[in-house]
């Protein structure tokens, strides 16, 4: 085992996990202006396609109903429309796209067939086009109008039947490109062709539903003893049920407890609130009420809604005396909180911080453009040594999915997407997956015998604040996949990124604003509540995208949202520990230096340090100017060595290159654990849950320290410019204003009366520091 781990580590060191600068053949150079979004595909390499649209046919089969379908042949590539049963005037409106690089024959042929059950299919006619005569269309030109073409038989004789077609040459900027059948997916069967198309998804707009249960009145309880006499509140929205704490039996119990759900617009569900008597395993309903979400008050601040008494409905199985009047009530405050941002991602690399309510959203400050060019050197993901790769990118509520390139280890997508940016301190996530829906085995009954799973190949995160405005970044990112056998480089993906902003002042202004909406500070949620709500949001997003066409699988959504990031992992624990150790190493070095001065290890150093301390003591007014001057010089000096490329996954930072097989098996162990033994399983799961919180705290500490360190690292050039300008102003102010006067103003401000303080939102320095980038973006 030791030799195996050593060989794996040697192999990892041989692999190149670095970021590489590329020079793709793109026509970039345009600068954004105003609020208009860019529409040209200038960040990707131009790819030409032969488009063929089959619209409809007429006078087939002598106006008798038949089962027609059309085959589009171009050499070895054949696309087929769906078969329309018993139709005299079939309409397909199907688009086919053939890559110009793969065209090897000069003729494009359309063949109309009549499907028969027992006999071979009958040829109804054909029409052919010469490829060199096909016209070229470049957007924003209007789409080419389809025309009627008379069909011919095998001998070239004209028939009465006609087929409406349009054929043109275009690029991936064509409107028909996303919905077209591509020759890259020629081997895919008809019912799975939808899984190969590109698609744009929009996440549902999510709100927090807060149910504050205050008290109940005049409950009709059953006579029970022991734990079975306790009562609790249960709230149900959709498939989710939340329960309150237990209260002892009483006809007028009080809770004053919040139950918080995540709900989606347009609020078609209802809230079911029940009072249960018993325990968690066995309980009986005492009363219930139903509240439609459309009737719930929406609030955008921390002002509590008015409490309402709701009449409870009598349970059907209640066998109490019919003469006894059932007048139980429940007092609650119910509100839809639109002042929060519903977190569905890890907070360290979230892509959106806007509140749920549209009335609180601010206008965009810029545009993010992403060009997904190609991937090289992908590892085979299937048993037949093939890979059907597609990309998924997420920023804010907009998810994009590229088309699937079938059976290629070097796929070329060349697709460009655009997002509006509302905050520069956000992260875009790009992941490459292997499409598992193309080779699903079916039994004789037509049902799937094995679940189709999209396998992850690698992930890339890019923080927008580390990008310079209007600069084009062309890099090849390593795709690293962490498995139970260790971390492997699965290939490389070439991306082009550009962040454009119309006004740099609007971007700089965001650094002094709170990162999250105001209600996160006026009515903060606990860490446990945020974790629970984040899981609810992920479930809602998964269910929404599973109903799309093509659907996004559960594996894709959970991996994009990093749903397993808060579970205990020895590898993550070591990585967070070494991050903190790296920050504390500065203090350790300072302590060692002071010890050397104290011990007179170097007489010259000790004497110089002694006179420096005397200089500071007798001239205290130069302390702050000297400190800010030092920071100013460090910031200017480090400008030469500023990072000139986006951050990427760091193997050493993630401790992925030193993780053992046992540690990775523990990390990939599902939650709850698969280990045998009930007692051991409960103890182990509890330990993992607690340890996951510890890892989050360690990550927060490391992130805060790295944010301070990034003030002068030029990782975020705009923030560093602001800090250097602040240091310049501070040098002048602290030089001319006496130190004692500055201390007086600071102490007066610190001890100001409570009525002059604002506890709602953090101060400007705290907001500025929270927006600084950290190395958490490079964590696997």
């Amino acid at each position: 085992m030791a030799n195996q781990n050593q060989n794996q580590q040697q192999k990892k060191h041989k692999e190149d996990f670095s970021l590489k600068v590329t020079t793709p053949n793109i026509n970039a150079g345009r600068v954004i202006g105003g609020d208009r979004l860019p529409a040209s595909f200038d960040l990707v390499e131009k790819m030409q396609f032969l488009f063929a649209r089959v619209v409809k046919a007429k006078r087939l089969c002598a106006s008798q109903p038949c089962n027609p379908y059309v085959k589009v042949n171009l050499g070895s590539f054949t696309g087929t429309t769906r078969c329309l049963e018993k139709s005299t005037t079939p309409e397909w409106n199907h688009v086919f796209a053939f890559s110009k690089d793969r065209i090897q024959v000069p003729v494009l042929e359309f063949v109309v067939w009549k499907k028969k059950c027992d006999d071979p299919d009958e040829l109804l006619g054909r029409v052919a086009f010469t490829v060199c005569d096909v016209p070229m269309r470049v957007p924003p030109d209007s789409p080419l109008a389809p025309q009627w073409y008379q069909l011919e038989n095998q001998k070239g004789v004209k028939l009465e039947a006609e087929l409406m077609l349009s054929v043109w040459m275009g690029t991936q900027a064509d409107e028909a490109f996303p919905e077209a059948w591509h020759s890259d997916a020629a081997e895919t069967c008809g019912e799975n062709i939808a899984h190969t198309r590109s698609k744009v998804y929009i996440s549902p707009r999510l709100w927090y539903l807060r149910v504050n249960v205050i008290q109940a009145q005049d409950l009709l309880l059953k006579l029970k003893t022991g734990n079975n006499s306790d009562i609790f509140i249960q709230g149900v929205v959709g498939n989710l049920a939340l329960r309150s704490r237990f209260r002892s039996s009483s006809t007028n119990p009080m809770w004053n407890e919040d139950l918080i759900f995540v709900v989606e617009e347009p609020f078609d569900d209802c809230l079911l609130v029940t009072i249960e008597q018993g325990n968690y395993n066995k309980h009986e309903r005492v009363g219930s009420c139903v509240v439609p979400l459309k009737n719930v008050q929406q609030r955008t601040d921390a002002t509590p809604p008015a409490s309402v008494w709701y009449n409870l409905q009598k349970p059907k199985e209640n066998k109490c005396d019919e003469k006894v009047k059932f007048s139980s009530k429940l007092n609650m405050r119910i509100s839809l909180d639109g002042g929060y941002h519903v977190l569905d991602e890890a907070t360290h690399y979230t892509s959106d911080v806007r509140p749920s309510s549209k009335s609180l959203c601010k206008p965009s400050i810029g545009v993010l453009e992403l060009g997904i060019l190609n991937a090289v050197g992908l590892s085979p993901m299937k048993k037949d040594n093939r890979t059907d790769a597609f990309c998924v990118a997420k920023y804010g509520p907009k998810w994009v999915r590229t088309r699937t390139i079938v059976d290629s280890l070097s796929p070329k997508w060349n697709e460009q997407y655009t997002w509006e940016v509302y905050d520069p301190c956000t992260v875009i996530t790009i992941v490459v997956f292997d499409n598992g829906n193309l080779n699903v085995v079916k039994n004789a009954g037509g049902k799937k015998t094995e679940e189709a799973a999209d396998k992850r190949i690698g992930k890339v995160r890019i923080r927008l604040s580390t990008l310079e405005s209007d600069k084009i970044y062309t890099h090849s990112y390593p795709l690293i996949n962490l498995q139970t056998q260790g971390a492997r480089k699965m290939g490389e993906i070439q991306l082009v990124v550009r962040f454009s902003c119309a006004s740099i002042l609007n971007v700089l202004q965001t650094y002094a604003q709170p990162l999250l909406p105001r209600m996160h500070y006026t009515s903060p949620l606990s860490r446990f509540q945020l974790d629970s709500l984040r899981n609810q949001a992920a479930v809602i997003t998964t269910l929404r995208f599973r109903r799309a066409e093509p659907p996004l699988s559960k594996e894709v959504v959970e991996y994009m949202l990093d749903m397993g990031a808060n579970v205990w992992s020895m590898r993550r624990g070591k990585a967070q520990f070494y991050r903190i150790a790296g920050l504390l190493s500065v203090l350790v070095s300072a302590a060692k230096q002071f010890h050397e001065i104290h011990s007179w290890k170097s007489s010259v150093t000790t004497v110089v340090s002694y006179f420096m301390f005397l200089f500071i003591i007798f001239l205290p007014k130069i302390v702050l100017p000297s400190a800010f001057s030092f920071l100013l010089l460090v910031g200017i000096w480090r400008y030469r060595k500023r990072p000139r490329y986006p951050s990427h996954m760091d193997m050493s930072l993630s401790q992925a290159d030193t993780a053992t097989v046992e540690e990775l098996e523990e990390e990939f162990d599902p939650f709850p654990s698969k280990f045998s033994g009930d007692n051991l399983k409960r103890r182990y799961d509890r330990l993992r849950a607690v340890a996951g919180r510890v890892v989050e705290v360690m990550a927060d500490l490391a992130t805060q320290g790295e944010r301070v360190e990034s003030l002068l690292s030029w990782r975020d050039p705009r923030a560093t410019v602001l800090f250097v300008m602040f240091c310049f102003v501070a040098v002048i102010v602290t030089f001319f204003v006496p130190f004692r006067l500055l201390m007086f103003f600071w102490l007066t401000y610190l001890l100001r009366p409570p009525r002059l303080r604002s506890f709602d939102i953090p101060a400007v320095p705290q907001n500025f520091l929270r927006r600084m980038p950290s190395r958490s973006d490079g964590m696997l």
Side-chain angles (χ1 to χ4, degrees), residues 762-779:
V764 172
Q766 189 175 359
N767 296 331
F768 187 88
L769 186 62
R770 284 183 177 179
R771 293 179 172 276
M772 293 298 99
S774 66
R775 302 183 68 188
S776 60
D777 303 335
M779 293 288 297

Side-chain angles (χ1 to χ4, degrees), residues 245-505:
R245 293 188 295 269
F246 281 94
R247 289 291 184 266
S248 58
S249 292
S250 173
T251 57
N252 301 307
M254 297 189 65
W255 283 277
N256 196 20
E257 184 176 347
D258 285 343
L259 302 179
I260 304 180
F261 299 84
V262 176
V263 295
E264 61 176 320
E265 292 184 357
F267 308 130
D268 293 330
D269 291 333
C270 293
L271 168 67
L272 172 63
V273 182
T274 63
I275 301 180
E276 307 286 340
Q277 183 179 11
N279 52 38
Y280 274 119
N281 297 325
K282 186 178 181 180
H283 49 83
E284 296 181 3
R285 182 172 299 181
V286 177
S288 63
C289 66
V290 178
V291 181
L293 297 185
K294 291 183 178 180
N295 301 334
V296 175
Q297 175 185 351
Q298 299 181 10
R299 62 171 184 165
T300 57
D301 53 25
T303 303
S307 61
V308 178
W309 285 97
Y310 293 89
N311 295 321
L312 298 181
Q313 297 179 359
K314 179 181 177 182
K316 296 180 180 180
E317 63 274 9
N318 196 331
K319 299 180 181 179
C320 61
D321 190 356
E322 296 294 338
K323 298 181 180 179
V324 179
K325 184 178 180 181
F326 189 84
S327 59
S328 301
K329 297 182 179 181
L330 184 62
N331 191 13
M332 295 184 293
R333 291 189 180 96
I334 306 178
S335 63
L336 288 166
D337 295 347
Y340 291 100
H341 168 69
V342 179
L343 293 168
D344 58 351
E345 303 167 292
T347 54
H348 296 310
Y349 26 81
T350 183
S351 63
D352 191 14
V353 292
R354 291 178 296 165
S356 300
S357 177
K358 295 181 181 179
S359 61
L360 299 180
C361 294
K362 299 180 180 179
S364 62
I365 61 173
V367 172
L368 171 66
E369 299 168 87
L370 172 67
I372 304 175
L373 301 186
N374 56 66
V376 294
L378 295 184
S379 300
M381 301 298 294
K382 294 183 172 65
K383 295 180 180 180
D384 53 357
N385 294 327
R386 58 182 287 172
T387 297
D388 306 322
F390 69 95
C391 290
V392 177
K394 179 190 183 302
Y395 183 76
K398 181 178 177 180
W399 300 51
V400 298
R401 169 183 178 149
T402 67
R403 70 188 191 281
T404 300
I405 307 299
V406 178
D407 192 16
S408 177
L409 301 182
S410 299
K412 292 184 179 181
W413 294 285
N414 283 302
E415 299 184 20
Q416 182 173 339
Y417 299 95
T418 305
W419 290 267
E420 288 185 296
V421 177
Y422 297 88
D423 196 302
C425 303
T426 46
V427 177
I428 181 174
T429 303
I430 306 101
V431 182
V432 182
F433 292 94
D434 174 66
N435 199 327
N437 295 277
L438 306 184
N439 297 312
V440 181
V441 180
K442 293 192 175 183
N443 56 22
K447 297 183 179 180
K448 298 179 180 179
T449 58
E450 61 179 30
E451 184 179 0
D454 297 325
K455 299 179 181 178
R456 59 196 185 196
I457 297 178
K459 177 185 291 186
V460 176
R461 296 194 198 103
I462 301 176
R463 182 172 289 271
L464 271 61
S465 61
T466 63
L467 306 177
E468 298 181 14
S469 300
D470 299 319
K471 180 179 179 180
I472 299 173
Y473 293 84
T474 58
H475 294 87
S476 180
Y477 297 80
L479 296 174
I480 305 174
N481 191 3
L482 193 62
Q483 304 171 349
T484 55
Q485 295 81 14
R488 289 181 52 199
K489 181 180 178 181
M490 309 297 291
E492 296 180 358
I493 182 173
Q494 187 176 358
L495 303 175
V496 181
V497 184
R498 176 172 58 194
F499 171 51
S500 306
C501 58
S503 174
I504 189 63
L505 294 179

